Amino acid sequence: MVEYSIRFNGLIVSMSLDNQVFSAQQDQPGKIKELFFVPSGPDAAQEYAPFLYVEARIDFSDVRSGYHATSSVNNVLEMIPLDGDMLWTRDMVRPIDPSALQANRPVTGRLRRLPPFIDVSYMSRVQSCYLSYLMRETAVLVYRNFALSLYSLPGESRDDFQVRCMEMLNDPFRKELDGLHEVVSRRLERIEERYVAQVRRGDFEADRRVTLTKSTLHAARERMAELFLRTSLTLQEWEEVPAGAGSALPDLEQQIGTVEFDAGRAIQRLMRSYQEQVRNIDECMIHPNLRDLHLVRICILWMPGEAHSP
C-alpha cells in the first residue's frame, strides 16, 4: 500500500492507496499505470491526448438524516499543474464508463507528449486535490418533511417521498376525522331530542310527526356517515361541502342543513391542514466527509485527441 498524508482544515490525515495506482506494466518498470479509451467505431484515432483517470467509492453516511448509501465514481480529469490554489472545477471533470477502457495500447495512433510536470510525485498530489474536489462538488439530494421529521430514502423521488409522508399521516388524519364525525352525530342527536320532546304523545298526528322527524334525522345520519366514510387524505382539492340550509326550508331541515354544511367545512379545513403537512418538504444536500471517500485507482488515461469528452 502507498501511504500518504493530506492536510484538511488544519488536520493531517493519513490515508492509503492500493499499489495498483502506481504499479508498472511488467515490461515498463517504474512507469505510472496507463489506460486507453479506444473508440468503438471503425475510424481509428490518429492521436491520443493524456488525461487523468480516477476511480473512487463514496460511502455516504449522514447521522442527522440516517442516509446511508454507497456510490462509485469514475472520472476523467484534465491535466493541470497543481501549484498554489489551482483546483479542478466541475467543467474540468467528466464521468466515463470504465468498461470502455483497456490496458493495451491501440495498434494505431500516436501518443502526445506528457506535460513536463507529470511524475509520481504529481500523481500523489492528485489524490489530495481530487478528494478536495469530491467534498466540494459531490452531494446527494435528500428531502425532509418537517411535520414528520422524516427524511427520504436513497433513490427516493420527491413524489414517492410525498406519497410515503401522506401514508404516514393518514392514521392521525382518520382519527381526527372520526372525532369530527362524533361531533356531528351528537349535534343530530340533540336536534332529535328537542323535536321529539316538543311533541305531545297520545294522538295519531303527534305520533306521525315523531316518526317523520326520526326518519328525516336517520337519513341525515346516513348521509353524514357516507360522507365521512368516503373521505380519505389526498392531495387533490376537497370540494364536497354540502350547500347551506335555505331560509325557505322548514325549521328541522334548516337545522340539519346547517349541521351538514358545518361538517363539510370542518372536513375541508382538516384536509387542507394535513395537505399542508404533506407538502411541507424541504431539500437538503449531503456532502461526503473525508472519511467517506475511498480512492481505488488513479492513472493516466489516453483518449482520442479529437474527442476530449467520452
Side-chain angles (χ1 to χ4, degrees):
M1 302 289 288
V2 176
E3 299 289 338
Y4 68 99
S5 298
I6 65 173
R7 182 175 295 274
F8 181 72
N9 287 347
L11 299 177
I12 296 179
V13 182
S14 296
M15 303 190 72
S16 61
L17 189 63
D18 195 295
N19 279 334
Q20 66 174 324
V21 175
F22 299 117
S23 64
Q25 298 179 24
Q26 294 182 357
D27 59 342
Q28 294 179 306
K31 181 178 174 61
I32 299 171
K33 186 173 179 62
E34 298 175 316
L35 291 174
F36 298 86
F37 179 85
V38 180
S40 58
D43 296 332
Q46 299 299 314
E47 186 178 54
Y48 288 83
F51 292 83
L52 294 170
Y53 171 68
V54 183
E55 291 183 15
R57 187 182 80 249
I58 305 177
D59 295 327
F60 288 99
S61 181
D62 185 67
V63 176
R64 183 185 62 173
S65 65
Y67 185 96
H68 297 280
T70 297
S71 63
S72 297
V73 181
N74 304 88
N75 285 151
V76 176
L77 289 68
E78 294 184 12
M79 286 185 170
I80 59 173
L82 298 176
D83 301 325
D85 296 330
M86 179 65 73
L87 294 172
W88 284 289
T89 56
R90 186 178 292 272
D91 62 308
M92 301 166 67
V93 179
R94 301 182 295 276
I96 190 172
D97 181 2
S99 64
L101 309 181
Q102 66 179 39
N104 297 326
R105 179 174 176 172
V107 177
T108 61
R110 66 180 183 85
L111 305 183
R112 292 182 185 176
R113 186 182 300 275
L114 281 173
F117 52 80
I118 301 298
D119 54 21
V120 173
S121 175
Y122 173 84
M123 298 297 283
S124 181
R125 293 196 300 276
V126 167
Q127 299 172 39
S128 59
C129 292
Y130 182 70
L131 289 175
S132 176
Y133 168 83
L134 288 180
M135 286 187 287
R136 291 194 323 271
E137 301 293 344
T138 305
V140 290
L141 177 63
V142 176
Y143 303 105
R144 179 191 179 191
N145 183 285
F146 283 88
L148 294 169
S149 295
L150 183 69
Y151 291 85
S152 61
L153 302 173
E156 189 173 28
S157 68
R158 186 187 184 98
D159 289 343
D160 290 342
F161 178 60
Q162 190 168 259
V163 169
R164 185 158 65 94
C165 292
M166 186 166 59
E167 291 174 349
M168 295 184 68
L169 286 167
N170 187 66
D171 285 346
F173 172 78
R174 173 53 59 182
K175 185 176 181 179
E176 290 197 49
L177 195 66
D178 290 343
L180 287 177
H181 190 189
E182 292 178 4
V183 171
V184 171
S185 297
R186 287 197 296 269
R187 289 183 65 181
L188 292 175
E189 287 175 2
R190 288 196 294 269
I191 292 174
E192 180 176 349
E193 291 171 357
R194 287 199 303 270
Y195 271 84
V196 172
Q198 293 172 5
V199 177
R200 290 182 300 176
R201 304 298 178 87
D203 59 64
F204 175 79
E205 183 62 25
D207 291 342
R208 191 183 69 81
R209 288 172 58 191
V210 169
T211 301
L212 181 60
T213 297
K214 288 185 175 183
S215 176
T216 303
L217 286 163
H218 176 74
R221 291 192 189 95
E222 290 294 315
R223 289 195 300 272
M224 287 292 94
E226 182 183 357
L227 175 64
F228 281 95
L229 182 63
R230 70 169 181 264
T231 298
S232 59
L233 182 58
T234 175
L235 293 179
Q236 302 298 322
E237 183 66 23
W238 196 87
E239 299 178 345
E240 295 187 47
V241 179
S247 59
L249 294 175
D251 183 61
L252 177 60
E253 281 76 5
Q254 285 191 43
Q255 293 193 47
I256 293 175
T258 299
V259 172
E260 292 180 333
F261 178 77
D262 291 345
R265 292 295 298 271
I267 294 174
Q268 187 179 65
R269 288 192 298 269
L270 182 65
M271 181 73 73
R272 288 175 177 174
S273 172
Y274 273 84
Q275 288 174 341
E276 182 178 351
Q277 293 181 62
V278 172
R279 294 191 176 104
N280 191 11
I281 295 175
D282 194 16
E283 296 181 353
C284 306
M285 301 299 296
I286 297 177
H287 290 267
N289 296 313
L290 189 59
R291 66 177 179 273
D292 301 328
L293 305 177
H294 308 276
L295 291 175
V296 178
R297 178 165 58 168
I298 299 177
C299 59
I300 294 174
L301 174 63
W302 295 95
M303 298 182 62
E306 296 181 357
H308 287 183
S309 58

